[in-house]
Amino acid sequence: MSDIDLRRRNFFKTSLGAAAVAIAPGILLFDVAHGKPQSVGGKVRWGMLIDTTQCREGCNDCVTACNKENGLSGGTSATDSQWIRKVEIKEISTGRKVSLPMMCQHCEKPPCVDVCPTGASFKRVDGIVLVDRHLCIGCRYCMMACPYKARSFVHEPVTGQNPDVPRGKGTVESCTLCVHRVDNGQQPACAESCPNKAILFGDLSDPESEISKKIRSVASVQVRADLGLNTGVRYQGL
């Protein structure tokens, strides 16, 4: 057994109860360990509206930007991390094709958080769902619970990391909505990079925000709305 596996096992045995306790509402050890600005509070819920009518088939600019920003290899094998992927949907009756980005949907009621035994999977009070790699024991329960197949397991040592995006072998990871950028007042990399501006990022809880006004004015859907998860990512044109 490697040293890291032994440390995780001992931690799990002795600190399970304490690990999942919030230091303050919406603040867990992830935030403290990395010295990040804390979330803006329950008055904000970050989310996205993705206009599939503006998302071009074959365009992967959002995927490329995500990989570059977060230090991912860009590989698509079973052992490569993919925080965002393009999905092609075809309506059988009409033959209509739709291309859309699929990532963590940042659910209001995230199944990944419900099943995590250590509290490594958690939701900030601003709606962003994250994984604390210091608490993750690699059990992968969250991967099985996610209906969007949005989580990846890190199989190999990670090199060339972005210091703002900590990653580690033996842990689970997924889209963070570029939380390190959001906390500094920037857009997620995928939204910023889209040439057709198909990805609109903003505050879902602010009725005066651009995204809230757009959602009121166009028809949009949640993927697997039947699950009642109230996702933070919505799609227009499906």
Side-chain angles (χ1 to χ4, degrees):
M1 182 182 297
S2 67
D3 289 342
I4 188 171
D5 289 335
L6 182 60
R7 287 198 298 272
R8 281 183 181 156
R9 178 169 293 184
N10 290 337
F11 176 83
F12 181 67
K13 288 179 179 178
T14 60
S15 304
L16 176 58
V21 176
I23 298 172
I27 303 172
L28 291 184
L29 297 180
F30 178 94
D31 304 292
V32 176
H34 300 288
K36 298 295 183 184
Q38 304 304 339
S39 61
V40 292
K43 294 182 179 180
V44 170
R45 187 188 179 194
W46 298 120
M48 288 180 171
L49 175 63
I50 300 176
D51 185 352
T52 63
T53 66
Q54 297 300 316
C55 186
R56 299 198 311 268
E57 183 178 356
C59 176
N60 285 288
D61 287 1
C62 59
V63 177
T64 300
C66 175
N67 291 336
K68 181 179 179 181
E69 178 68 31
N70 295 294
L72 308 180
S73 69
T76 57
S77 72
T79 57
D80 290 310
S81 288
Q82 290 181 278
W83 290 15
I84 182 174
R85 65 190 191 278
K86 286 296 290 295
V87 175
E88 310 297 331
I89 299 175
K90 181 178 181 179
E91 188 174 354
I92 297 177
S93 61
T94 64
R96 175 176 176 262
K97 294 181 179 180
V98 177
S99 179
L100 59 89
M102 177 61 65
M103 71 286 278
C104 171
Q105 300 290 288
H106 298 277
C107 309
E108 181 181 41
K109 302 173 183 177
C112 56
V113 173
D114 289 342
V115 301
C116 180
T118 66
S121 290
F122 67 99
K123 186 186 72 169
R124 299 204 321 181
V125 293
D126 58 8
I128 299 179
V129 177
L130 299 172
V131 180
D132 185 337
R133 69 184 180 92
H134 298 288
L135 301 183
C136 179
I137 59 173
C139 68
R140 288 173 265 192
Y141 289 165
C142 61
M143 293 178 67
M144 292 184 280
C146 177
Y148 307 103
K149 301 185 184 300
R151 294 201 157 194
S152 301
F153 182 76
V154 184
H155 291 266
E156 302 295 336
V158 179
T159 58
Q161 294 193 54
N162 177 347
D164 291 325
V165 188
R167 304 175 62 217
K169 178 183 177 182
T171 62
V172 174
E173 58 186 21
S174 64
C175 161
T176 66
L177 283 183
C178 286
V179 66
H180 58 289
R181 293 170 61 93
V182 172
D183 282 345
N184 287 318
Q186 299 173 282
Q187 295 274 309
C190 60
E192 187 176 86
S193 69
C194 181
N196 285 357
K197 306 301 179 185
I199 304 175
L200 177 60
F201 174 80
D203 181 7
L204 294 170
S205 67
D206 178 4
E208 297 303 315
S209 69
E210 183 180 358
I211 189 172
S212 292
K213 291 179 179 179
K214 189 72 176 291
I215 286 176
R216 291 197 301 269
S217 66
V218 301
S220 64
V221 299
Q222 302 176 40
V223 174
R224 291 303 309 270
D226 58 301
L227 298 176
L229 302 176
N230 191 14
T231 59
V233 180
R234 315 291 172 85
Y235 293 88
Q236 175 185 351
L238 284 186

